[in-house]
PDB file of all heavy atoms in Angstrom:
ATOM      1  N   PHE A 148     124.072  88.527  83.419  1.00 94.00           N
ATOM      2  CA  PHE A 148     124.320  89.168  84.697  1.00 94.00           C
ATOM      3  C   PHE A 148     123.405  88.489  85.729  1.00 94.00           C
ATOM      4  O   PHE A 148     122.504  87.757  85.387  1.00 94.00           O
ATOM      5  CB  PHE A 148     124.085  90.704  84.623  1.00 94.00           C
ATOM      6  CG  PHE A 148     122.782  91.072  84.008  1.00 94.00           C
ATOM      7  CD1 PHE A 148     121.611  91.041  84.704  1.00 94.00           C
ATOM      8  CD2 PHE A 148     122.707  91.536  82.681  1.00 94.00           C
ATOM      9  CE1 PHE A 148     120.373  91.371  84.117  1.00 94.00           C
ATOM     10  CE2 PHE A 148     121.530  91.822  82.065  1.00 94.00           C
ATOM     11  CZ  PHE A 148     120.360  91.791  82.833  1.00 94.00           C
ATOM     12  N   HIS A 149     123.711  88.771  86.979  1.00 95.00           N
ATOM     13  CA  HIS A 149     122.961  88.050  88.016  1.00 95.00           C
ATOM     14  C   HIS A 149     121.632  88.768  88.325  1.00 95.00           C
ATOM     15  O   HIS A 149     120.560  88.173  88.256  1.00 95.00           O
ATOM     16  CB  HIS A 149     123.784  87.970  89.285  1.00 95.00           C
ATOM     17  CG  HIS A 149     123.123  87.216  90.408  1.00 95.00           C
ATOM     18  ND1 HIS A 149     122.885  85.882  90.326  1.00 95.00           N
ATOM     19  CD2 HIS A 149     122.585  87.619  91.578  1.00 95.00           C
ATOM     20  CE1 HIS A 149     122.213  85.489  91.429  1.00 95.00           C
ATOM     21  NE2 HIS A 149     122.044  86.508  92.193  1.00 95.00           N
ATOM     22  N   GLY A 150     121.685  90.058  88.797  1.00 92.00           N
ATOM     23  CA  GLY A 150     120.453  90.767  89.158  1.00 92.00           C
ATOM     24  C   GLY A 150     120.023  91.681  88.111  1.00 92.00           C
ATOM     25  O   GLY A 150     118.944  91.470  87.465  1.00 92.00           O
ATOM     26  N   SER A 151     120.756  92.722  87.802  1.00 88.00           N
ATOM     27  CA  SER A 151     120.533  93.633  86.715  1.00 88.00           C
ATOM     28  C   SER A 151     121.854  94.096  86.143  1.00 88.00           C
ATOM     29  O   SER A 151     122.888  93.817  86.786  1.00 88.00           O
ATOM     30  CB  SER A 151     119.698  94.864  87.186  1.00 88.00           C
ATOM     31  OG  SER A 151     120.568  95.834  87.768  1.00 88.00           O
ATOM     32  N   PRO A 152     121.925  94.755  85.036  1.00 86.00           N
ATOM     33  CA  PRO A 152     123.235  95.208  84.524  1.00 86.00           C
ATOM     34  C   PRO A 152     123.982  96.132  85.495  1.00 86.00           C
ATOM     35  O   PRO A 152     125.198  96.185  85.501  1.00 86.00           O
ATOM     36  CB  PRO A 152     122.887  95.980  83.199  1.00 86.00           C
ATOM     37  CG  PRO A 152     121.552  95.471  82.851  1.00 86.00           C
ATOM     38  CD  PRO A 152     120.798  95.136  84.083  1.00 86.00           C
ATOM     39  N   GLU A 153     123.185  96.776  86.388  1.00 85.00           N
ATOM     40  CA  GLU A 153     123.826  97.761  87.281  1.00 85.00           C
ATOM     41  C   GLU A 153     124.315  97.056  88.561  1.00 85.00           C
ATOM     42  O   GLU A 153     125.307  97.573  89.186  1.00 85.00           O
ATOM     43  CB  GLU A 153     122.847  98.875  87.696  1.00 85.00           C
ATOM     44  CG  GLU A 153     122.650  99.921  86.638  1.00 85.00           C
ATOM     45  CD  GLU A 153     121.681  99.428  85.597  1.00 85.00           C
ATOM     46  OE1 GLU A 153     120.787  98.670  85.895  1.00 85.00           O
ATOM     47  OE2 GLU A 153     121.825  99.855  84.423  1.00 85.00           O
ATOM     48  N   SER A 154     123.633  96.074  89.020  1.00 87.00           N
ATOM     49  CA  SER A 154     123.954  95.512  90.338  1.00 87.00           C
ATOM     50  C   SER A 154     123.439  94.115  90.478  1.00 87.00           C
ATOM     51  O   SER A 154     122.406  93.696  90.010  1.00 87.00           O
ATOM     52  CB  SER A 154     123.319  96.402  91.442  1.00 87.00           C
ATOM     53  OG  SER A 154     123.398  95.722  92.644  1.00 87.00           O
ATOM     54  N   THR A 155     124.259  93.270  91.239  1.00 88.00           N
ATOM     55  CA  THR A 155     123.862  91.891  91.499  1.00 88.00           C
ATOM     56  C   THR A 155     122.698  91.832  92.444  1.00 88.00           C
ATOM     57  O   THR A 155     122.092  90.794  92.681  1.00 88.00           O
ATOM     58  CB  THR A 155     125.010  91.109  92.115  1.00 88.00           C
ATOM     59  OG1 THR A 155     125.416  91.786  93.331  1.00 88.00           O
ATOM     60  CG2 THR A 155     126.248  90.989  91.163  1.00 88.00           C
ATOM     61  N   LEU A 156     122.451  93.031  93.122  1.00 86.00           N
ATOM     62  CA  LEU A 156     121.388  93.055  94.134  1.00 86.00           C
ATOM     63  C   LEU A 156     120.017  93.377  93.531  1.00 86.00           C
ATOM     64  O   LEU A 156     119.013  93.126  94.151  1.00 86.00           O
ATOM     65  CB  LEU A 156     121.746  94.130  95.208  1.00 86.00           C
ATOM     66  CG  LEU A 156     122.943  93.849  96.037  1.00 86.00           C
ATOM     67  CD1 LEU A 156     123.303  95.134  96.814  1.00 86.00           C
ATOM     68  CD2 LEU A 156     122.710  92.764  96.997  1.00 86.00           C
ATOM     69  N   ASN A 157     119.996  94.043  92.443  1.00 86.00           N
ATOM     70  CA  ASN A 157     118.671  94.424  91.843  1.00 86.00           C
ATOM     71  C   ASN A 157     117.889  93.290  91.381  1.00 86.00           C
ATOM     72  O   ASN A 157     118.449  92.281  90.884  1.00 86.00           O
ATOM     73  CB  ASN A 157     118.921  95.416  90.667  1.00 86.00           C
ATOM     74  CG  ASN A 157     119.309  96.786  91.126  1.00 86.00           C
ATOM     75  OD1 ASN A 157     119.362  97.111  92.354  1.00 86.00           O
ATOM     76  ND2 ASN A 157     119.650  97.642  90.176  1.00 86.00           N
ATOM     77  N   TYR A 158     116.578  93.422  91.459  1.00 87.00           N
ATOM     78  CA  TYR A 158     115.670  92.354  90.942  1.00 87.00           C
ATOM     79  C   TYR A 158     114.984  92.811  89.634  1.00 87.00           C
ATOM     80  O   TYR A 158     114.685  93.974  89.507  1.00 87.00           O
ATOM     81  CB  TYR A 158     114.619  92.055  91.966  1.00 87.00           C
ATOM     82  CG  TYR A 158     115.079  91.302  93.151  1.00 87.00           C
ATOM     83  CD1 TYR A 158     115.643  91.962  94.246  1.00 87.00           C
ATOM     84  CD2 TYR A 158     114.945  89.929  93.207  1.00 87.00           C
ATOM     85  CE1 TYR A 158     116.064  91.271  95.335  1.00 87.00           C
ATOM     86  CE2 TYR A 158     115.377  89.185  94.295  1.00 87.00           C
ATOM     87  CZ  TYR A 158     115.969  89.885  95.390  1.00 87.00           C
ATOM     88  OH  TYR A 158     116.440  89.166  96.432  1.00 87.00           O
ATOM     89  N   ILE A 159     114.770  91.866  88.746  1.00 90.00           N
ATOM     90  CA  ILE A 159     113.932  92.112  87.588  1.00 90.00           C
ATOM     91  C   ILE A 159     112.723  91.215  87.804  1.00 90.00           C
ATOM     92  O   ILE A 159     112.728  90.020  87.450  1.00 90.00           O
ATOM     93  CB  ILE A 159     114.570  91.792  86.244  1.00 90.00           C
ATOM     94  CG1 ILE A 159     115.887  92.597  86.099  1.00 90.00           C
ATOM     95  CG2 ILE A 159     113.625  92.117  85.037  1.00 90.00           C
ATOM     96  CD1 ILE A 159     116.713  92.256  84.869  1.00 90.00           C
ATOM     97  N   GLY A 160     111.732  91.769  88.505  1.00 86.00           N
ATOM     98  CA  GLY A 160     110.554  90.943  88.780  1.00 86.00           C
ATOM     99  C   GLY A 160     109.274  91.547  88.267  1.00 86.00           C
ATOM    100  O   GLY A 160     108.305  90.874  87.953  1.00 86.00           O
TER     101      GLY A 160
END
Side-chain angles (χ1 to χ4, degrees):
Chain A
F148 48 79
H149 183 69
S151 80
E153 284 79 29
S154 167
T155 59
L156 294 169
N157 285 355
Y158 286 85
I159 304 173

